[in-house]
Amino acid sequence: MSPRIGDQDLDVVIVGAGFAGLYMLHRLRGLGFSATVIESADDVGGTWYWNRYPGARCDIESVDYSYSFDPELQTEWHWSERYATQPEILRYLGHVADKHDLRRDIRFSTRVESATWDGDARRWSVRTDRGDQLRCRFYVMASGCLSLPKTPDIAGVDRFRGETYYTNRWPHAGVAFSGKRVAVIGTGSSGIQSIPIIARQAAALTVFQRTPNFSRPAFNGPVCAAKQTAFDADPAAYREAARWSRAGVPAEPTMVRTFQVSEQERLAKYEEAYASGDLLALSATFADIGADPRANETVCEFMRGKIRSIVHDPATAEALSPKDHFYGTKRPCLDTDYFETFNLPSVRLVDLRKDPIRTITETGIDTASRSLAFDAIVFATGFDAMTGALVAVDIRGRDGLALARKWVDGARTYLGLMTSGFPNFFTITGPGSPSVLSNMVVSIEQHVDWVSACLVHMRAARLAEVEPTPLAEAGWVQHVNDCGDVTLFPRANSWYMGANVPGKPRVFLPYVGGVDRYRKTCDEVVSQGYLGFAFDGPGGVRCNDGVVNRLQVDVATVLEVVAGRGLPPIETMSVADARALSVAMATDRPPGPDVGDVADGVLRGAAGPLAYRRYRPASPGPHPIVVYFHGGGWVLGGLDSDDPFCRHLCLQADAIVVSVDYRHAPEARFPAAADDGFAALRWIAANADALGGDASRLAVCGWSAGGNVATVACQMARDAGGPAIAGQVLITPVTDCDFTRESYVANADGYVLTTALMRWFWDQYADPADRRHPKASPLRARDLSGLPPALVVTCEFDPLRDEGAAYAEALAASGVEAQHLPCRGQIHTSVPAVDVILSAAGARDEVGATLRRFLGASTPAAASETRATLAAGRR
Ligand code: N01
């Protein structure tokens, strides 16, 4: 046992001597900071010290699941297996501790009980269970994401008189199960790794399963030759690729979606991923598996098929097949002979969903239907993940605020690194960082490097305190939630959501935006003068307050893809080339949902025939009608450009949608589009019966320039005394020719629709003298009263944002029932991007619901995916 530390004044106190604490200590020492690690175990290892259960091993390949900071270590250490066992990983960490002489600054068998910020002294005061009182400038919790065992919430847990074991606190001497009747409760990674080995030793094994889990064979063996060769060829480059990958393991993300390929090709990909024994491979087969329920279900069914093919007894196979969560939304497992184990005559499965545990007794376990006797019970019941170990210490920040109190409704951090109100307190892989959704070692190294650089910066600038601002923190919490909301994660009752611990707030804890994006964000924060961090000290008071990553994550991804194509700006092209490009950009996008039927036709426009496309719902008619006008700056677009969105509207509004191909500029300049819009409206109203619709329930909808055409048509219809329009839905509409509004300046460039492009569109469409005419700039109409009720959708990063908002305001001021829906983090093209910009699904739902309301339809029969997600989830 280490001697007592006594009273010390240090630069940094670090809690935990696992992967994170060891590297943190090494790094700080190298930078000349005094630091001590406090560790409750009697040796290094962290999670690999405690989790010694049979079969424990990593499930990220060891070549990847290892430090990169020491080039010598990388070449001198050779893993004996692809997935190293717990003893080998523990030896590795021991070797690192020895090599860098770390143990001399680690106090073992010592537990931190409290840490209190002393604002006057600008010091943390840290107290241990051995009476030590340490003072330090910085306090770092490197205590691991899965380190505080969850108390099993099972009646009678203390009654059992036989042997009791916890996978996460396994005896060092090991356990002999031979000849014994053993129960294992829990089928997460720990259960799934240990069950096959315990089954081989025990006389009889009973597995108590509450939730079946997705697991597949690890195909463990020697280190994968291809991986080792790639690593050996250039270890530094290999590690760099890992740092800039999605999950912390070098891999190329795919852009291909599940239903873009044939079923045969899809299954071949799944088989290949299955055979790879790579934990991340199956989720990475297609781009939409983490977000699209239908896509994910194909993986789930593939995996269930595998279980059925392995487990002989169909009822047992059925019970072992997960059906209550999407693949990957609870952490999938890698196993060795897990499902095969259930073919052994000595192994039985108790499905707790059908036969729940009533109580643990002195001699065994009573379920609802029977009493079972055991010699030993193994609890593989998991952890109070991500926040448990942090709030288990009584950490008090400014004004005595307790961390547990601050996080009572869920963890709030900035970047998963710090939390406001707690100066100079860092969490390594804290909630709100990629952590458990990544290769932990890569994420640990990134955090340690970031914290170290921050401390060096403060030393150089003579700054004593650092703390995130409430604004930055709120923005990050929002971003973390936004990222989670476009995935299927919030739907599962997982420990990612805190759902495994009774009473824990249901909050999605990790950051799912990717290791690469996260690293870039952390770097950007620094390059913007530590955006969102407040510093104070002899060197002065500094704060560049603000919010990082204000774009929705899927929008940012699309913008990166577009930027990666290196296309010339549209406004520098000929009209023909611009049209060709806009057609090319639309190829390969998701086709939108199926509708009852789609038919093309011709209607009478203002100056001749115009093509239209009619979408009819599968439900029985007659249906109300939505007259739709596509976007494209009066120059681009057509029936095909907005086809997926029209399908979506048809389904959501349960209405016939008639998409009108009005004349385009420059061939037909102002007021051709406006006149065509009104003529089409009249023709559709007059021919509603023939279209299968109900002329008395007519609404208009348009996006961008189409929003302009739609509302101009409403103004013309009002002035002409008909047709009657029940409502108008204007999505990021052009309403004015004024380029001086704030959004034109702030969003001038970088968000697809640029100010320069808008100028080009206007130049194509209308002479300067005509632009102020209400048929071009409907906001300038002298009278907006008497117009149909309106929904105006605007997007935060759109040059047209402010004119849309101004139009909604002007309508309302004129007595029109006008609703304004501002979309945070979205760009001009987001709302019609069905199945591409998933974060705009809520806005699309609102559009559908509003159209229904305008058209007098009942509440949506089929609640959309998003609504279901949001209802099931946090908000
Ligand atoms: O814990 P878990 P774990 N009655 O929470 C069940 C990492 N890890 O220790 O799902 C009955 O996953 C619970 O059921 P349910 C990895 O990230 C990695 O296995 O809540 N059952 C579940 O089946 C992993 O995800 C490796 O319905 C109860 C199980 O116990 C994380 O650690 C190896 C219950 C707990 O599963 C946690 O894994 C091991 C109750 N009252 C762990 N309470 C590697 O391979 C809980 N359960 C690297």
Side-chain angles (χ1 to χ4, degrees):
M1 188 182 268
S2 314
R4 261 196 74 223
I5 316 164
D7 299 343
Q8 283 190 17
D9 204 339
L10 298 149
D11 288 325
V12 189
V13 166
I14 303 158
V15 180
F19 268 100
L22 291 179
Y23 179 43
M24 188 82 246
L25 173 62
H26 170 71
R27 194 88 171 80
L28 290 174
R29 255 199 210 161
L31 293 166
F33 292 100
S34 59
T36 279
V37 174
I38 316 277
E39 167 58 60
S40 61
D42 64 10
D43 202 354
V44 299
T47 200
W48 299 104
Y49 173 95
W50 296 106
N51 289 271
R52 295 169 187 243
Y53 60 83
R57 53 175 83 241
C58 57
D59 56 10
I60 295 286
E61 295 187 49
S62 292
V63 171
D64 298 299
Y65 191 78
S66 49
Y67 287 127
S68 73
F69 72 84
D70 177 352
E72 201 181 83
L73 175 69
Q74 304 205 110
T75 47
E76 76 192 6
W77 186 272
H78 297 284
W79 295 103
S80 67
E81 289 179 89
R82 183 181 184 190
Y83 296 108
T85 58
Q86 173 271 333
E88 187 171 6
I89 301 171
L90 194 57
R91 273 202 306 282
Y92 171 79
L93 289 170
H95 171 75
V96 172
D98 291 341
K99 181 168 190 266
H100 295 287
D101 189 21
L102 297 175
R103 284 192 175 85
R104 74 180 150 89
D105 281 323
I106 306 175
R107 302 299 166 239
F108 294 108
S109 310
T110 307
R111 181 176 290 280
V112 172
E113 289 189 328
S114 68
T116 308
W117 174 248
D118 175 347
D120 296 332
R122 289 183 158 156
R123 289 281 187 286
W124 281 94
S125 176
V126 179
R127 200 166 43 76
T128 75
D129 61 351
R130 295 173 67 189
D132 309 298
Q133 193 81 41
L134 292 95
R135 309 270 291 165
C136 56
R137 295 175 52 221
F138 300 97
Y139 176 60
V140 179
M141 285 292 273
S143 43
C145 295
L146 294 151
S147 48
L148 186 77
K150 182 187 109 146
T151 316
D153 43 333
I154 302 173
V157 74
D158 296 326
R159 281 171 65 190
F160 186 59
R161 283 206 231 98
E163 301 161 33
T164 300
Y165 303 103
Y166 290 83
T167 48
N168 44 39
R169 291 291 180 271
W170 203 256
H172 289 201
V175 180
F177 285 118
S178 61
K180 293 180 180 156
R181 297 160 303 168
V182 181
V184 174
I185 303 176
T187 51
S189 302
S190 306
I192 281 175
Q193 284 186 332
S194 58
I195 283 165
I197 296 175
I198 297 174
R200 283 206 295 274
Q201 297 170 357
L205 172 67
T206 305
V207 175
F208 290 85
Q209 171 194 273
R210 188 163 66 182
T211 309
N213 231 324
F214 290 108
S215 185
R216 57 200 177 81
F219 299 115
N220 196 19
V223 171
C224 204
K227 188 171 270 291
Q228 191 67 53
T229 307
F231 181 82
D232 291 343
D234 189 345
Y238 185 94
R239 295 297 196 190
E240 195 59 6
R243 288 182 195 115
W244 291 101
S245 66
R246 204 49 55 84
V249 176
E252 272 302 312
T254 179
M255 297 297 286
V256 180
R257 291 182 308 278
T258 306
F259 298 110
Q260 272 182 309
V261 303
S262 67
E263 188 178 356
Q264 197 184 10
E265 198 178 324
R266 187 159 65 239
L267 289 175
K269 281 219 173 286
Y270 293 163
E271 288 291 355
E272 191 188 332
Y274 187 86
S276 72
D278 175 346
L279 180 72
L280 308 170
L282 203 47
S283 303
T285 42
F286 296 104
D288 51 357
I289 283 175
D292 179 349
R294 277 199 325 131
N296 191 291
E297 178 55 26
T298 64
V299 180
C300 296
E301 193 40 37
F302 170 82
M303 290 294 287
R304 291 183 206 118
K306 289 292 180 191
I307 296 168
R308 288 193 286 267
S309 74
I310 298 169
V311 179
H312 299 159
D313 173 42
T316 307
E318 195 56 21
L320 287 166
S321 296
K323 289 178 209 84
D324 77 334
H325 63 277
F326 289 107
Y327 183 83
T329 57
K330 285 178 88 137
R331 195 169 188 280
C333 309
L334 285 188
D335 68 80
T336 301
D337 295 338
Y338 174 64
F339 291 112
E340 288 83 348
T341 299
F342 293 90
N343 293 332
L344 298 176
S346 59
V347 175
R348 74 178 146 189
L349 178 71
V350 175
D351 181 350
L352 297 179
R353 300 278 177 203
K354 291 193 175 139
D355 191 9
I357 294 177
R358 221 166 37 75
T359 183
I360 294 178
T361 66
E362 285 72 13
T363 54
I365 298 175
D366 284 1
T367 68
S369 73
R370 54 197 155 161
S371 285
L372 299 163
F374 297 107
D375 302 306
I377 299 178
V378 174
F379 291 94
T381 41
F383 300 86
D384 183 348
M386 304 201 66
T387 54
L390 297 173
V391 297
V393 175
D394 184 11
I395 300 175
R396 306 243 166 194
R398 278 190 204 288
D399 305 320
L401 176 64
L403 185 66
R405 189 177 159 76
K406 176 175 173 184
W407 287 2
V408 73
D409 294 324
R412 295 179 66 80
T413 72
Y414 184 35
L415 302 170
L417 277 163
M418 297 194 83
T419 184
S420 68
F422 294 78
N424 295 6
F425 165 50
F426 295 94
T427 50
I428 303 301
T429 62
S433 72
S435 59
V436 292
L437 296 179
S438 70
N439 174 357
M440 283 299 286
V441 188
V442 170
S443 290
I444 283 169
E445 288 194 330
Q446 188 246 340
H447 264 195
V448 167
D449 291 344
W450 195 97
V451 172
S452 306
C454 180
L455 266 55
V456 168
H457 165 74
M458 290 175 71
R459 181 169 61 189
R462 297 191 309 120
L463 297 167
E465 285 180 29
V466 58
E467 183 186 337
T469 68
L471 176 73
E473 182 170 292
W476 184 252
V477 170
Q478 182 71 64
H479 178 63
V480 170
N481 288 335
D482 286 347
C483 290
D485 283 346
V486 294
T487 71
L488 300 169
F489 276 106
R491 301 198 194 188
N493 289 321
S494 65
W495 57 256
Y496 297 133
M497 297 296 301
N500 65 326
V501 176
K504 191 167 173 172
R506 193 184 169 91
V507 172
F508 183 55
L509 292 164
Y511 177 66
V512 72
V515 164
D516 44 358
R517 183 176 305 285
Y518 177 77
R519 178 180 292 270
K520 188 165 159 247
T521 302
C522 291
D523 291 354
E524 267 171 28
V525 162
V526 173
S527 69
Q528 292 180 41
Y530 282 91
L531 177 70
F533 285 101
F535 293 92
D536 196 350
V541 176
R542 294 183 195 172
C543 180
N544 176 20
D545 203 359
V547 170
V548 73
N549 287 1
R550 288 167 57 214
L551 282 169
Q552 295 286 343
V553 70
D554 48 358
V555 173
T557 304
V558 165
L559 290 177
E560 282 156 16
V561 171
V562 171
R565 291 188 184 161
L567 299 166
I570 289 180
E571 65 274 15
T572 62
M573 299 179 181
S574 68
V575 167
D577 286 351
R579 286 177 182 157
L581 176 67
S582 84
V583 170
M585 297 279 278
T587 53
D588 272 0
R589 71 185 163 171
D594 288 337
V595 296
D597 75 80
V598 179
D600 286 352
V602 175
L603 55 76
R604 199 168 54 241
L610 298 176
Y612 74 82
R613 183 167 297 165
R614 187 214 53 194
Y615 304 81
R616 196 162 49 191
S619 55
H623 295 94
I625 300 179
V626 176
V627 182
Y628 180 81
F629 300 101
H630 66 79
W634 306 284
V635 178
L636 314 176
L639 299 183
D640 291 337
S641 63
D642 294 27
D643 183 76
F645 188 47
C646 288
R647 291 169 173 276
H648 182 85
L649 287 176
C650 171
L651 211 66
Q652 287 270 304
D654 196 26
I656 287 175
V657 173
V658 184
S659 174
V660 179
D661 197 10
Y662 54 90
R663 282 173 296 158
H664 289 165
E667 295 84 350
R669 286 166 65 82
F670 174 83
D675 289 343
D676 276 353
F678 180 50
L681 187 64
R682 281 168 53 153
W683 186 90
I684 291 163
N687 293 275
D689 283 354
L691 290 164
D694 173 359
S696 70
R697 292 186 295 153
L698 190 70
V700 297
C701 178
W703 166 56
S704 191
N708 174 284
V709 174
T711 198
V712 168
C714 290
Q715 293 191 10
M716 292 170 76
R718 176 200 60 183
D719 297 343
I725 301 168
Q728 47 178 332
V729 172
L730 313 175
I731 299 159
T732 58
V734 185
T735 69
D736 195 20
C737 56
D738 178 3
F739 288 88
T740 61
R741 286 196 172 81
E742 223 275 309
S743 57
Y744 258 117
V745 180
N747 304 322
D749 208 1
Y751 305 113
V752 180
L753 179 65
T754 63
T755 298
L757 181 55
M758 259 331 281
R759 285 187 191 281
W760 185 79
F761 283 142
W762 272 107
D763 290 345
Q764 301 299 326
Y765 182 50
D767 293 339
D770 292 331
R771 293 183 191 178
R772 301 167 77 84
H773 192 287
K775 279 165 75 172
S777 292
L779 181 60
R780 291 179 187 261
R782 223 171 290 131
D783 180 12
L784 293 175
S785 65
L787 289 173
L791 170 68
V792 184
V793 183
T794 61
C795 289
E796 184 178 2
F797 295 96
D798 180 2
L800 304 186
R801 179 194 66 203
D802 292 350
E803 67 192 68
Y807 194 57
E809 218 172 283
L811 287 171
S814 303
V816 175
E817 181 206 319
Q819 185 195 341
H820 175 204
L821 177 66
C823 299
R824 184 170 42 74
Q826 300 294 353
I827 59 173
H828 184 71
T829 47
S830 292
V831 177
V834 176
D835 294 334
V836 176
I837 302 297
L838 301 182
S839 56
R844 285 190 286 273
D845 284 356
E846 200 58 47
V847 165
T850 305
L851 281 169
R852 277 175 177 262
R853 187 165 58 77
F854 287 159
L855 296 166
S858 54
T859 331
S864 84
E865 296 296 354
T866 320
R867 278 165 190 274
T869 310
L870 296 182
R874 203 170 351 85
R875 286 166 297 167

